[in-house]
Amino acid sequence: MRKIIIAGNWKMNKGLDETRDFFQEVVSALRGVELGSIVPVVAPAYPFLAEALRESFGSDILVSAQEVSLNSDGAYTGEVSAAMLKSLNLPYCIIGHSERRQYHNESDANVQHKLLKLLAHGITPIVCIGETLAQRDANQTEAVVLAQLKGCLQDVPLKTGTEIIIAYEPVWAIGTGRTATPEQAQEVHALIRSWMMENYSGVVATNLSILYGGSVKPDNLALLLACEDIDGGLIGGASLKAEDFIEMVKIAREADLLIGLCQSGD
Ligand code: PGA
């Protein structure tokens, strides 16, 4: 059964006290809640990863980095390597976010390089892909998404499909309040899964968690999760409020229980 991941991407928000407060509230609210296949993940800024790990220790909330360096070590001022993240025992790291692609000229080749570095250190990459509005309007969504998949996963060996997570984030839906409709998102998620099937295997395609990102919030999460190929969300703005994050984890759990019930009734 695929994991359903509710991942908060805090971007450049929250300092030390806010990070601590958020984790204390979420850890306490979810203590004793049976989460089944739901995995809550939060990605704070680098300086607060250790605090987040400390506060979430022993809970079901996992911590992710937002980025990693292309390089292994040495004279790269301001960068953080995969080995450094591993030394914190960090389970996840986001790569290829459209803001990195846009403001830091990151290419699919960069993402592929980072992905291999993370895998070599046993960290699960959350690989972001997605088209811009101009590309969608020019009917290029499919071509863009497939080219990104191909570029990011070139020579990346996958056996189980649980080594990575893909986040489909249409750029036009990020931080705009304009969510893709469940149908629009499902169409691209199905495309991604069938590409994984053709280029890897049925096992990889079946086990791979594909998250949707772009203005996800408590109000629209349930409908997105009801889609066959949407296995969670990568959530920016709405993940900053502890109560919304808690609510989204609970919505995911309810959706998962409902799907389980439908399947057992088949
Ligand atoms: P948003 O951001 O939920 O604020 O749209 C999503 C993301 O950038 O990952």
Side-chain angles (χ1 to χ4, degrees):
M1 189 187 223
R2 286 198 284 276
K3 283 187 176 158
I4 306 294
I5 306 198
I6 299 298
N9 173 15
W10 283 1
K11 311 187 181 187
M12 202 169 70
N13 292 293
K14 292 194 189 289
L16 181 62
D17 291 346
E18 294 160 304
T19 301
R20 188 186 302 125
D21 291 349
F22 178 98
F23 273 86
Q24 286 179 355
E25 191 173 338
V26 173
V27 166
S28 128
L30 296 181
R31 188 173 293 128
V33 176
E34 171 51 54
L35 290 182
S37 53
I38 313 304
V39 184
V41 177
V42 178
Y46 277 142
F48 314 117
L49 286 175
E51 185 68 12
L53 285 163
R54 233 187 328 272
E55 291 294 344
S56 60
F57 187 77
S59 78
D60 289 325
I61 296 127
L62 300 178
V63 181
S64 173
Q66 296 178 16
E67 243 311 307
V68 69
S69 175
L70 272 175
N71 304 295
S72 296
D73 53 44
Y76 299 100
T77 303
E79 304 240 327
V80 174
S81 70
M84 291 171 176
L85 298 180
K86 184 61 192 172
S87 73
L88 286 170
N89 260 330
L90 208 74
Y92 296 103
C93 180
I94 299 168
I95 49 175
H97 192 279
S98 63
E99 286 151 15
R100 302 291 309 180
R101 292 175 186 264
Q102 188 182 348
Y103 306 133
H104 301 270
N105 295 321
E106 294 208 353
S107 63
D108 292 329
N110 293 153
V111 177
Q112 185 260 8
H113 207 81
K114 292 176 178 187
L115 195 159
L116 289 175
K117 283 226 175 313
L118 291 169
L119 288 184
H121 287 87
I123 300 169
T124 306
I126 302 175
V127 186
C128 303
I129 54 176
E131 81 287 359
T132 63
L133 186 57
Q135 289 165 334
R136 175 160 283 262
D137 287 346
N139 284 326
Q140 291 168 346
T141 301
E142 183 172 328
V144 168
V145 166
L146 293 183
Q148 287 174 332
L149 270 181
K150 207 167 158 202
C152 296
L153 295 181
Q154 184 155 4
D155 299 325
V156 174
L158 298 177
K159 285 202 167 66
T160 64
T162 54
E163 302 95 330
I164 65 166
I165 291 166
I166 303 239
Y168 166 59
E169 299 205 304
V171 179
W172 48 272
I174 295 178
T176 57
R178 191 179 155 191
T179 329
T181 63
E183 294 74 22
Q184 284 173 322
Q186 166 58 27
E187 196 180 349
V188 180
H189 282 233
L191 174 76
I192 295 170
R193 204 175 304 285
S194 69
W195 188 90
M196 297 303 291
M197 175 97 83
E198 279 160 31
N199 291 276
Y200 286 95
S201 66
V203 172
V204 167
T206 304
N207 290 336
L208 176 75
S209 294
I210 308 174
L211 316 187
Y212 167 77
S215 297
V216 175
K217 47 185 190 264
D219 289 354
N220 57 25
L221 181 62
L223 280 180
L224 289 161
L225 290 181
C227 300
E228 191 180 341
D229 292 296
I230 301 183
D231 312 311
L234 182 56
I235 306 153
S239 74
L240 292 169
K241 262 174 88 182
E243 62 188 76
D244 285 353
F245 186 77
I246 294 161
E247 194 183 339
M248 288 189 284
V249 172
K250 291 185 174 166
I251 288 169
R253 179 60 178 146
E254 275 163 32
D256 199 35
L257 284 172
L258 216 63
I259 290 165
L261 271 180
C262 295
Q263 284 170 349
S264 64
D266 279 350

